């Protein structure tokens, strides 16, 4: 069976009806809300007892909402342009409001055999306090952190299990503006090594970086506050190991 020139719009309400199990699992992970438009084609091969599906769907949105990832990151005003097939997902545009700031991404996910992916992420004025509250678990002591995070990141990797961190690679630059640096992980350690108190650590920080083999390599890192400015480079491991040279 072949269905050509499919087109339409699916609107998800906050309280949506249950879908078939294979679809419901993905919808529960993404928690879509609002209108999503689609066009494309679908082919169903019924030659065997288990039908095989092949499809080529173009999906767009301009005012939708999602809550993806394990902790369901709230995304609003989602404007997207995505191509979906059984073999690949191509994200040509994805812009959304998140954590009081903006997030944009493009990329490609290859679904055949071992899943692999590559893309870019752009963050602008993400509220650090909201980010920390989202990222930390309920068993972590609550923190109050001020500041805004902006970043441009290129990434690639493969796999979806714990070993995926071994294959994850990234590079880019990030900037923290008007930040309470004393309470930001990594920067807190730098402030303490310099003997600075939290009263003197509202300022800015920025660095370029690469990530490979579970280690973040910092280059041209700079931290500035009304009290002092610091430059340096070094490494930060995903296991929290820190080796920095500061000037």
């Amino acid at each position: 069976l072949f269905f050509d020139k499919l087109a339409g719009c699916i609107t998800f309400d906050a309280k949506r009806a249950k879908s078939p199990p294979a679809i419901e699992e993905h919808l529960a992970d993404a928690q879509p809300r609002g209108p999503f438009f689609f066009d494309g084609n679908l082919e169903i091969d019924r030659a065997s007892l288990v039908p095989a599906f092949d499809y080529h769907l173009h999906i767009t949105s301009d005012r939708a909402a999602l809550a993806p990832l394990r902790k369901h990151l709230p995304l609003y005003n989602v404007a997207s342009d995505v191509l979906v097939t059984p073999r690949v997902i191509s994200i040509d545009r994805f812009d959304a409001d998140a954590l009081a700031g903006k997030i944009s991404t493009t990329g490609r996910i290859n679904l055949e055999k071992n899943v692999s992916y590559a893309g870019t992420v752009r963050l602008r004025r993400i509220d650090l306090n909201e980010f920390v509250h989202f990222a930390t678990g309920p068993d972590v002591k609550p923190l109050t952190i001020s500041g805004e995070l902006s970043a441009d990141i290129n990434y690639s990797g493969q796999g979806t299990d714990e070993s995926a961190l071994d294959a994850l690679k990234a590079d880019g630059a990030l900037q923290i503006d008007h930040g309470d640096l004393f309470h930001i992980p990594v920067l807190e350690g730098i402030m303490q090594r310099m003997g600075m108190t939290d009263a003197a650590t509202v300022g800015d920080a920025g660095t370029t970086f690469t990530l490979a083999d579970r280690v973040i390599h910092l280059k041209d890192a700079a931290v500035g506050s009304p009290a002092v400015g610091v430059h340096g480079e070094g490494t930060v491991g995903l296991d929290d190991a820190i080796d920095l040279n500061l000037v």
Side-chain angles (χ1 to χ4, degrees), residues 10-219:
I10 300 177
T11 300
F12 296 94
D13 294 328
K15 296 182 179 180
R16 57 179 175 79
K18 292 289 185 180
S19 301
I23 299 176
E24 179 61 29
E25 179 181 357
H26 297 293
L27 294 179
D29 287 341
Q31 296 189 4
R33 297 185 304 282
F36 291 81
F37 301 88
F38 68 90
D39 62 81
N41 56 64
L42 167 66
E43 183 176 5
I44 305 175
D45 184 354
R46 302 177 63 184
S48 61
L49 292 178
V50 179
F53 293 87
D54 192 13
Y55 47 86
H56 187 283
L57 296 176
H58 178 222
I59 302 172
T60 62
S61 66
D62 58 12
R63 60 182 188 279
L66 294 167
L69 305 180
R70 184 177 300 175
K71 290 190 175 183
H72 299 298
L73 172 65
L75 302 174
Y76 304 102
N77 296 320
V78 175
S80 62
D81 189 333
V82 180
L83 175 66
V84 179
T85 77
R87 293 164 293 280
V88 66
I89 299 174
S90 178
I91 305 171
D92 297 323
R93 179 193 180 196
F94 189 95
D95 302 321
D97 296 340
L99 303 175
K102 301 283 186 181
I103 180 172
S104 302
T105 185
T106 60
R108 182 181 177 91
I109 305 171
N110 294 312
L111 302 175
E112 294 183 301
K113 296 182 180 180
N114 191 17
V115 174
S116 62
Y117 48 86
T120 64
V121 174
R122 180 182 184 186
L123 307 177
R124 289 296 180 269
R125 304 186 69 177
I126 298 297
D127 184 274
L128 280 176
N129 197 50
E130 291 198 20
F131 175 79
V132 169
H133 286 178
F134 168 77
T136 56
D139 56 338
V140 177
K141 181 181 178 180
L143 297 174
T144 299
I145 299 176
S146 64
E148 295 177 340
L149 169 66
S150 297
D152 292 285
I153 302 169
N154 305 305
Y155 65 88
S156 64
Q158 64 180 25
T160 56
D161 56 16
E162 292 296 327
S163 65
L165 285 176
D166 297 326
L168 179 62
K169 299 182 183 299
D171 64 81
L174 62 85
Q175 175 74 29
I176 295 174
D177 296 310
H178 317 300
D180 182 1
L181 306 183
F182 193 85
H183 294 105
I184 298 175
V186 179
L187 294 182
E188 177 183 7
I190 296 174
M191 299 296 104
Q192 290 176 339
R193 286 169 59 180
M194 297 174 58
M196 298 175 65
T197 65
D198 57 353
T201 55
V202 176
D204 303 329
T207 187
T208 58
F209 71 91
T210 60
L211 166 64
D213 301 320
R214 294 181 178 244
V215 177
I216 302 171
H217 298 263
L218 305 179
K219 185 178 180 181

